[in-house]
């Protein structure tokens, strides 16, 4: 009897897979997943070379996975069942206390971080630039007490220690806001469903950054905090979309003092008088309202005519901090080295910029290889 049950179960499973694959091929393929904020695999072009190399079958598998019918619902059911069964994580996301979804470290290897630091060290050796590096710890480090038992490892502390040691004999200013953030552990400083900082977390990072760069930060009382949406479900929720999690709140700080800005998206030849693109609030990826997402290079000019210029090489963690930092500079030139492939030092020379800030979240600094571009062009 048991053999017959297994037999019919296997047959039913195969039929379901065949039907699902048929639906995949029959329906128009979706090109983008808004819930996951990424492009989806398309049906691959056939060639004998890709078939023999195995690449074609890998692409077919990726296409089937991305275009599987009701994929989002199945991912949600999987996450919900895994949590009910007492598992610590789903899809690389830890089920943490207080409904936090916290990203599991992608890598424990310090090779990329070491290469990035050596690249900055090489840039600093020119003696041409005043360089600061700030690595912002993620919720995994600051909210580690909320993680499941046994999930925490001190990898981000190790990166901070490595940065401090590597840059100790240089003129590069290493800024570590970990303790300043941990002092506010009980505040809403990280999104529950996303890997970024909230408005208040970004303010704390901005305040610590200014203090370490010799700048007097504005107080919270100098701004009006404005909530724009309480229905933000971020990247961690996309990976582990639990049913009973509430949306996060997207907020901004608006200056009470008189100041104007011009934001130019250089590659797109587009100009705005705001840091924010509110149309994103109607979409899932609401964090992209900051600077309309990520761009190769952005120039920010303020009405604060103090002659101060700053180049910022950053990841998306900086996007919610730059609107605060911009109040202290006449010009800030912002580079995302994932998309900017020209000589970044030539741009600095052409625009007479000598002050540099490298601003990443610590987890990204372990895995992103683009920071080495800053050392490649040093002669």
């Amino acid at each position: 009897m048991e053999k017959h049950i297994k037999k019919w179960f296997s047959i039913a499973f195969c039929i379901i897979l065949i039907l699902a694959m048929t639906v995949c091929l029959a329906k128009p393929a979706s090109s983008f997943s808004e819930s996951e904020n990424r492009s989806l695999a398309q049906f691959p072009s056939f060639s004998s070379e890709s078939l023999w190399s195995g690449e074609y079958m890998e692409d077919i598998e990726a296409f089937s996975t991305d275009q599987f019918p009701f994929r989002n619902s199945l991912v949600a059911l999987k996450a919900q069942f895994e949590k009910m069964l007492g598992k610590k994580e789903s899809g690389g996301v830890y089920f943490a206390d207080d409904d936090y979804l916290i990203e599991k470290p992608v890598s424990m290897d310090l090779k990329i971080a070491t290469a990035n630091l050596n690249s900055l060290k090489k840039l600093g050796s020119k003696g041409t630039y005043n360089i600061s590096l700030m690595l912002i710890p993620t919720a995994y480090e600051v909210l580690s007490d909320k993680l499941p038992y046994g999930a925490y490892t001190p990898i981000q502390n190790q990166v901070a220690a490595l940065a401090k040691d590597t840059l100790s004999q240089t003129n590069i200013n290493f800024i570590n806001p970990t303790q300043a953030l941990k002092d506010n552990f009980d505040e809403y400083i990280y999104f529950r469903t996303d890997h970024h900082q909230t408005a208040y977390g970004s303010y704390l990072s901005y305040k610590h950054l200014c203090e370490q760069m010799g700048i007097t930060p504005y107080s919270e009382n100098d701004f009006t905090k404005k909530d724009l949406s309480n229905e933000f479900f971020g990247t961690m929720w996309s990976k582990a979309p639990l049913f009973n999690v509430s949306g996060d709140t997207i907020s901004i700080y608006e200056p009470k003092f008189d100041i104007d800005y011009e934001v130019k998206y250089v590659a797109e030849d587009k100009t705005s008088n705001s840091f924010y693109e509110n149309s994103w609030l109607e979409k899932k990826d609401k964090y992209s309202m900051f600077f309309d997402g990520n761009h190769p290079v952005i120039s920010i000019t303020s009405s604060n005519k103090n002659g101060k210029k700053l180049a910022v090489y950053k990841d998306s963690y900086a996007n919610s901090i730059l609107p605060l930092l911009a109040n202290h500079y006449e010009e800030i030139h912002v580079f995302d080295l994932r998309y900017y492939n020209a000589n970044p030092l030539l741009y600095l020379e052409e625009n007479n910029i000598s002050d540099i800030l490298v601003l990443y979240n610590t987890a990204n600094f372990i895995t992103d290889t683009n920071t080495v571009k800053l050392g490649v062009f040093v002669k």
Side-chain angles (χ1 to χ4, degrees):
M1 181 65 178
E2 186 178 347
K3 289 183 178 180
H4 286 296
I5 292 174
K6 289 182 178 180
K7 174 184 175 182
W8 286 111
F9 180 82
S10 298
I11 292 172
F13 183 72
C14 290
I15 291 173
I16 291 171
L17 285 179
I18 292 170
L19 289 173
M21 189 61 188
T22 302
V23 172
C24 283
L25 294 171
K27 74 178 182 69
S30 301
S31 60
F32 187 81
S33 170
E34 188 172 356
S35 65
E36 298 175 81
N37 192 30
R38 69 177 182 89
S39 298
L40 299 176
Q42 303 297 295
F43 194 82
S45 300
F46 176 82
S47 70
S48 57
E49 292 83 1
S50 63
L51 178 64
W52 286 111
S53 68
E55 181 182 350
Y56 183 74
M57 295 311 298
E58 290 177 1
D59 291 344
I60 285 287
E61 183 179 355
F63 168 79
S64 302
T65 300
D66 280 3
Q67 303 294 338
F68 198 89
F70 312 111
R71 181 176 183 273
N72 290 340
S73 298
L74 292 173
V75 170
L77 283 171
K78 175 178 177 288
Q80 201 70 43
F81 278 127
E82 286 178 334
K83 186 175 183 182
M84 289 171 58
L85 291 171
K87 290 192 173 183
K88 295 180 180 180
E89 62 177 286
S90 178
V93 176
Y94 285 120
F95 302 126
D97 293 345
D98 301 327
D99 291 332
Y100 275 86
L101 299 172
I102 296 179
E103 188 172 25
K104 182 180 181 180
V106 176
S107 174
M108 296 290 178
D109 195 328
L110 296 180
K111 288 181 180 178
I112 292 175
T114 300
N116 288 337
L117 291 168
N118 286 334
S119 179
L120 289 179
K121 190 174 179 179
K122 184 178 180 182
L123 179 61
S125 68
K126 282 178 64 70
T128 308
Y129 305 108
N130 303 312
I131 305 172
S132 294
L133 167 66
M134 183 159 91
L135 298 180
I136 303 177
T138 67
Y140 177 84
E141 174 61 39
V142 178
L143 307 183
S144 58
D145 287 352
K146 296 183 185 294
L147 290 170
Y149 179 77
Y152 174 75
T153 59
I155 179 63
Q156 295 192 28
N157 275 340
Q158 292 170 11
V159 175
L162 176 66
K164 183 179 179 181
D165 181 63
T166 303
L167 304 177
S168 62
Q169 301 301 316
T170 72
N171 60 354
I172 297 175
N173 179 23
F174 173 56
I175 303 171
N176 182 4
T178 300
Q179 192 56 53
L181 293 167
K182 285 190 173 183
D183 289 343
N184 292 271
F185 171 89
D186 291 328
E187 302 291 339
Y188 183 47
I189 57 177
Y190 292 92
F191 293 118
R192 293 186 307 277
T193 69
D194 193 69
H195 63 290
H196 291 103
Q197 292 182 300
T198 62
Y200 185 53
S202 298
Y203 173 78
L204 292 173
S205 294
Y206 148 80
K207 181 182 178 183
H208 187 78
L209 172 64
C210 287
E211 291 168 348
Q212 298 302 309
M213 291 179 67
I215 299 170
T216 302
Y218 286 99
S219 74
E220 272 199 285
N221 293 331
D222 292 318
F223 300 93
T224 299
K225 188 178 179 184
K226 184 178 179 181
D227 295 340
L228 301 182
S229 174
N230 59 5
E231 297 180 350
F232 174 41
F233 293 88
T235 53
M236 297 303 99
W237 184 86
S238 296
K239 295 178 180 180
L242 299 177
F243 300 143
N244 58 343
V245 173
S246 301
D248 277 299
T249 301
I250 289 270
S251 306
I252 60 173
Y253 285 102
E254 294 185 331
K256 293 179 181 178
F257 48 91
D258 186 28
I259 190 167
D260 297 312
Y261 317 98
E262 181 183 81
V263 179
K264 185 174 182 179
Y265 301 93
V266 178
E268 297 84 355
D269 195 23
K270 182 178 73 171
T271 302
S272 173
N273 63 358
S274 173
F275 303 122
Y276 316 111
E277 178 50 66
N278 287 337
S279 63
W280 285 99
L281 296 173
E282 306 302 319
K283 304 175 184 178
K284 180 180 179 298
D285 183 21
K286 291 175 172 52
Y287 188 81
S288 284
M289 64 155 289
F290 294 102
F291 295 97
D292 198 22
N294 296 307
H295 300 267
V297 58
I298 301 171
S299 68
I300 303 168
T301 305
S302 80
S303 57
N304 183 1
K305 301 302 180 182
N306 58 9
K308 295 175 64 176
K309 297 182 180 182
L310 178 70
V312 178
Y313 299 97
K314 59 88 184 180
D315 64 12
S316 59
Y317 251 54
N319 291 5
S320 55
I321 297 173
L322 286 169
L324 300 169
L325 190 62
N327 296 301
H328 301 278
Y329 289 87
E330 183 172 339
E331 294 180 22
I332 295 183
H333 299 260
V334 185
F335 301 85
D336 192 323
L337 293 173
R338 291 172 296 182
Y339 313 113
Y340 189 84
N341 295 310
N343 183 342
L345 305 186
L346 182 61
Y347 185 104
L348 301 187
E349 293 172 10
E350 292 173 347
N351 290 274
N352 193 28
I353 302 170
S354 58
D355 291 342
I356 293 175
L357 170 64
V358 179
L359 200 166
Y360 280 75
N361 80 62
T362 311
N364 201 23
F365 199 73
I366 304 173
T367 58
D368 191 304
T369 60
N370 292 289
T371 307
V372 297
K373 294 177 182 178
L374 293 175
V376 168
F377 292 96
V378 175
K379 296 179 181 180

